[in-house]
Amino acid sequence: MLLVTGGAGFIGSNVVAALNGAGRSDVVVCDLLGRDGKWRNLAKRQLVDIVPPAELPDWLKGRKLDAVIHLGAISETTATDGDLVIETNFRFSMRLLDWCTANAVPLIYASSAATYGDGAEGFDDDASLPALKKLRPMNLYGWSKQLFDLAVAGRAANGDPLPPQWAGLKFFNVFGPNEYHKGTMMSVLARRFDDVKAGRVVQLFKSHRDGIADGDQRRDFIYVDDVVRVILWLLATPAVSGLFNVGTGKARSFRDLMLAAYAALGTRPNIDYVDMPEQIRGSYQYFTESKVDRLHRAGYNGGFTTLEDAVKAYVADYLDRPDRFR
């Protein structure tokens, strides 16, 4: 069996869909479904079980698994409950790491580009302890992911026991189907698509930095299908371990993202720019762009979808349909 934590979430449910599509029905999801309709992300899937996180330690006793894909986390960059975030994102991950190590089970886990903070130290996925210790995440979520990266890297540096395969994935700005339960953490495209479709004005942030135009704040936007391909490649390539950026390697602006949506619908852009809230101006990232050299050197050659093609596929196959779920 394969265990996917966070399997009812955004990236996790897309991974489960891909596993089912590849003929694997022996998939177990560890997640909480809650009351926000997250179950719809799994409504078309075949599963062995859905295990609440609190029950996972008992469920794992005596189990044999092919791999653990650990994507479950509190992913809100605005989260403020430090104890809850550390228990969920760090300590739970450490227990899974120990279990995978003791039982010789590969572990593929979600890190985050949030570990890079404001980008002052660059976006190089160097897994050495000196490099990781230079990073300064700007929020609680990013720090919790950084703590786990440091723990895994420390064991690797010391020659301590680790799973037979371990891979941490620093996801950049992922967008695509099944993100709808994420509220304000949804991509701007998903949040604003109904406005785009209806011809209503779409608001983007003004720039509060010299030399950067309104709406020209840039991110490394990556389509969720590309992320899933990387994860499936790692599952099929057990000799590869390490910490890897997962982005396209090319930063694009929020304006580009929304213009691609208008182009996908064949409608005239209607974009306005509003002041960024003062409470986030000091911590707002104006630029993120992954370096994906290490992933390529490890042997990955699956490529990445261009922003325009990704938006076109997302709009045509999901956002502009009555059923938006994969």
Side-chain angles (χ1 to χ4, degrees):
M1 290 187 294
L2 286 164
L3 173 65
V4 183
T5 75
F10 168 34
I11 297 175
S13 64
N14 279 278
V15 169
V16 172
L19 291 170
N20 275 184
R24 297 208 63 159
S25 57
D26 56 342
V27 179
V28 176
V29 163
C30 174
D31 211 334
L32 293 172
L33 298 181
R35 300 175 183 273
D36 58 4
K38 197 162 67 169
W39 69 271
R40 294 186 182 277
N41 289 343
L42 293 174
K44 302 171 186 177
R45 307 279 71 87
Q46 184 175 0
L47 303 169
V48 172
D49 202 353
I50 301 176
V51 183
E55 296 180 18
L56 189 63
D58 285 338
W59 185 91
L60 284 171
K61 290 176 181 176
R63 299 280 178 178
K64 293 183 179 180
L65 299 176
D66 290 340
V68 173
I69 304 169
H70 178 37
L71 305 173
I74 294 173
S75 59
E76 288 81 3
T77 57
T78 54
T80 58
D81 188 335
D83 296 315
L84 181 61
V85 168
I86 290 303
E87 176 59 34
T88 304
N89 293 5
F90 177 62
R91 299 189 72 228
F92 184 88
S93 299
M94 291 298 295
R95 290 192 288 271
L96 267 182
L97 175 65
D98 289 340
W99 186 89
C100 288
T101 300
N103 291 276
V105 173
L107 174 66
I108 299 168
Y109 75 89
S111 180
S112 173
T115 58
Y116 291 118
D118 64 2
E121 296 296 329
F123 301 96
D124 186 358
D125 49 0
D126 185 343
S128 69
L129 282 174
L132 289 174
K133 287 178 179 179
K134 289 180 182 178
L135 302 181
R136 293 292 179 268
M138 299 171 72
N139 53 57
L140 178 59
Y141 163 70
W143 177 57
S144 69
K145 291 295 187 178
Q146 170 81 343
L147 276 178
F148 189 61
D149 287 344
L150 284 166
V152 177
R155 293 189 183 189
N158 294 331
D160 294 335
L162 281 168
Q165 178 189 27
W166 62 271
L169 304 180
K170 293 199 173 194
F171 298 133
F172 277 67
N173 282 67
V174 188
F175 68 100
N178 293 10
E179 61 174 316
Y180 321 117
H181 64 284
K182 292 172 65 68
T184 59
M185 294 293 112
M186 274 194 295
S187 68
V188 173
L189 174 56
R191 290 205 314 271
R192 299 290 180 252
F193 179 76
D194 289 340
D195 292 330
V196 172
K197 175 84 177 198
R200 295 187 291 266
V201 65
V202 170
Q203 294 182 332
L204 297 178
F205 285 146
K206 290 181 179 178
S207 170
H208 296 272
R209 226 177 245 188
D210 292 340
I212 298 177
D214 294 340
D216 200 37
Q217 303 93 333
R218 295 178 178 242
R219 296 284 186 277
D220 192 333
F221 297 107
I222 180 169
Y223 197 43
V224 70
D225 290 18
D226 293 341
V227 169
V228 171
R229 273 194 292 273
V230 171
I231 292 172
L232 294 190
W233 173 78
L234 283 164
L235 281 175
T237 318
V240 172
S241 292
L243 188 62
F244 302 103
N245 283 336
V246 181
T248 65
K250 185 173 178 59
R252 300 292 299 275
S253 71
F254 284 98
R255 183 173 59 247
D256 289 340
L257 179 70
M258 299 316 301
L259 289 177
Y262 285 107
L265 289 171
T267 57
R268 184 187 299 275
N270 184 14
I271 300 174
D272 191 19
Y273 300 96
V274 298
D275 285 333
M276 188 182 299
E278 289 192 15
Q279 61 265 33
I280 68 171
R281 288 185 197 178
S283 60
Y284 188 81
Q285 287 180 302
Y286 273 72
F287 181 86
T288 65
E289 184 176 83
S290 65
K291 290 185 177 181
V292 290
D293 301 8
R294 280 190 174 80
L295 190 61
H296 290 148
R297 287 199 299 271
Y300 184 73
N301 59 4
F304 300 104
T305 312
T306 67
L307 180 68
E308 286 74 16
D309 287 346
V311 170
K312 184 177 180 180
Y314 190 13
V315 169
D317 297 340
Y318 300 100
L319 290 177
D320 200 28
R321 294 197 173 195
D323 181 2
R324 293 181 173 182
F325 292 88
R326 167 163 273 155

